[in-house]
Amino acid sequence: MSVAFYEVTPGIQFSTSKWVVDYSIGYRDESAVNENKLSREFFALQHSIQLNFIPNSNFNTRNTVTLRDKSISSAFIGAENSDRNALLIRSNTDYRTNSENWSGNLLYEVNTQRESLMQEAYIEVGPEIGQYTWDDLNNDGVEQLDEFFSELTPNEGTYIRQYLPSDVLLPVIDLRASIRNEFIPFAFLADENQERVNFLSQIIFNSRIDINENSTTQNLADVYLLRLNTFRDSTNTISGRLSFEKELDILPSYSDYDLRFRYSQTRSLNKRSSELQQIFLDAAVGEFSYKITNTVDGVTKIFSSTNRTNSNTIENRNFDIESNSVEQTLNMTVNRSWRTGMALFYTKKRDLLSLNE
């Protein structure tokens, strides 16, 4: 822990009604105790540039680039404490059309840092908050990762799962990017005198793409430039995820009815000290909500999904589950402070992996 430091960060800014340009340079010097005396631990130099552009109410973008160079004194250099450079880029953009039939957001954030490889651990906490059970499969009295399973009934599990940092510290580049859009494709057909046109004009289509990549790759341009074919690589990736979702809302303006269709897909890879796990998830949902009376409403859902998981070391985590279900929910409002309901559902699941064996 540092005992003393001083820091100075002068800067200069230029701004107009549409532009903001800001540059700052920071210097930080920290001292810590070494051999019973206060000695310089490190000094860091940081450059930061901010560029904002807001031409009108339909578009704005805010961007920051920060470069930090940290130099450790020889007395404090160690396996977990060494010279390092860090680069942070962050961009956040909002946009929409004048007719407001299209709006969206674009987020891009990337950072270089050092990060520990996580290790999986199970801690016994009791049935009150436990979610996992231990089954000593080989009767050796030793808790092993492949002997923990999710609870099947409430209060059955006595363990919780946590991911703790290991002793392995790695230089990584961490990326988070997303694109979100909302379309009202037939907004131009709006006409209060034609009921069919009103129906078309209020249809909403939403889409979302999320990209996360935490990698040890030496070719940083692959991550900075979003070369997706290099992501979720078993050699370099610590954790990575690509997901997208599409939703069609057909009756959003009707108070008594609503009909929605959603499709989502997720691909992820997680590397831990004990295993390399890959997850593939596809899901499609149709949802119809409706009002039966002034106090009773219902929701009907049809759900289909495929969940495939591969682990290179823990055999019982390899599965390929196909699931189809129907759910019917009825809710009743008794008064302002009392609302009750019931749900019935039918689900059919099968493990395609076991069928193919």
Side-chain angles (χ1 to χ4, degrees), residues 313-340:
T313 58
I314 303 179
E315 185 65 28
N316 59 25
R317 292 183 181 175
N318 294 328
F319 55 81
D320 188 359
I321 304 296
E322 181 186 78
S323 176
N324 297 283
S325 63
V326 178
E327 180 180 332
Q328 177 62 57
T329 303
L330 292 175
N331 300 299
M332 183 175 66
T333 302
V334 180
N335 52 49
R336 291 183 177 181
S337 58
W338 184 10
R339 181 173 170 84
T340 186

Side-chain angles (χ1 to χ4, degrees), residues 274-293:
S274 58
E275 68 168 339
L276 178 70
Q277 187 180 71
Q278 293 177 291
I279 299 174
F280 309 84
L281 177 63
D282 294 89
V285 182
E287 178 180 324
F288 180 44
S289 58
Y290 44 88
K291 182 180 290 187
I292 302 174
T293 68

Side-chain angles (χ1 to χ4, degrees), residues 128-139:
E128 296 82 5
I129 59 175
Q131 298 174 327
Y132 292 86
T133 62
W134 174 45
D135 186 2
D136 191 4
L137 299 177
N138 54 10
N139 297 314

Side-chain angles (χ1 to χ4, degrees), residues 78-324:
E80 298 184 6
N81 198 22
S82 60
D83 294 350
R84 68 187 68 170
N85 296 322
L87 175 63
L88 169 64
I89 300 175
R90 192 176 196 279
S91 177
N92 193 354
T93 302
D94 295 300
Y95 48 87
R96 64 180 181 180
T97 58
N98 288 328
S99 59
E100 297 186 356
N101 65 333
W102 176 30
S103 62
N105 173 265
L106 175 62
L107 175 67
Y108 175 90
E109 186 174 275
V110 63
N111 186 25
T112 53
Q113 58 190 21
R114 289 181 180 268
E115 189 170 302
S116 295
L117 191 65
M118 305 302 287
Q119 57 185 356
E120 185 177 351
Y122 290 85
I123 302 174
E124 188 170 9
V125 294
E128 296 82 5
I129 59 175
Q131 298 174 327
Y132 292 86
T133 62
W134 174 45
D135 186 2
D136 191 4
L137 299 177
N138 54 10
N139 297 314
D140 63 353
V142 179
E143 297 177 354
Q144 297 168 334
L145 292 180
D146 59 353
E147 297 177 338
F148 287 92
F149 304 90
S150 298
E151 64 179 6
L152 299 178
T153 59
N155 297 323
E156 178 187 13
T158 57
Y159 292 80
I160 60 172
R161 180 171 64 184
Q162 290 191 340
Y163 293 103
L164 307 175
S166 67
D167 295 332
V168 180
L169 194 64
L170 302 172
V172 301
I173 177 170
D174 187 67
L175 167 77
R176 182 167 66 99
S178 66
I179 304 174
R180 303 171 190 268
N181 287 286
E182 179 182 281
F183 299 93
I184 308 178
F186 303 111
F188 63 93
L189 296 176
D191 187 338
E192 296 180 358
N193 299 321
Q194 300 183 34
E195 184 177 351
R196 178 174 176 78
V197 173
N198 278 334
F199 162 73
L200 291 174
S201 64
Q202 47 87 62
I203 293 176
I204 298 176
F205 177 73
N206 292 295
S207 68
R208 189 195 79 237
I209 300 175
D210 290 317
I211 303 170
N212 294 273
E213 179 73 9
N214 187 282
S215 176
T216 60
T217 180
Q218 298 299 310
N219 190 0
L220 302 184
D222 288 343
V223 179
Y224 282 115
L225 299 179
L226 292 173
R227 292 171 180 161
L228 299 183
N229 61 315
T230 66
F231 286 14
R232 301 186 310 284
D233 175 74
S234 59
T235 302
N236 297 317
T237 301
I238 302 300
S239 63
R241 182 170 63 90
L242 171 63
S243 66
F244 71 84
E245 180 179 282
K246 299 177 180 179
E247 180 185 78
L248 181 64
D249 194 345
I250 297 178
L251 303 170
S253 299
Y254 288 77
S255 59
D256 294 342
Y257 306 95
D258 194 11
L259 179 61
R260 298 186 181 189
F261 297 96
R262 289 192 302 272
Y263 175 74
S264 62
Q265 187 179 95
T266 299
R267 303 288 184 263
S268 64
L269 181 146
N270 297 291
K271 181 185 295 183
R272 304 186 182 97
S273 60
S274 58
E275 68 168 339
L276 178 70
Q277 187 180 71
Q278 293 177 291
I279 299 174
F280 309 84
L281 177 63
D282 294 89
V285 182
E287 178 180 324
F288 180 44
S289 58
Y290 44 88
K291 182 180 290 187
I292 302 174
T293 68
N294 290 333
T295 58
V296 180
D297 58 81
V299 180
T300 302
K301 289 183 181 181
I302 300 176
F303 183 87
S304 179
S305 69
T306 301
N307 187 352
R308 184 167 72 252
T309 298
N310 296 324
S311 173
N312 66 335
T313 58
I314 303 179
E315 185 65 28
N316 59 25
R317 292 183 181 175
N318 294 328
F319 55 81
D320 188 359
I321 304 296
E322 181 186 78
S323 176
N324 297 283

Side-chain angles (χ1 to χ4, degrees), residues 32-39 75-76:
V33 174
N34 179 47
E35 296 182 351
N36 296 320
K37 65 178 181 179
L38 198 61
S39 304
F76 292 90

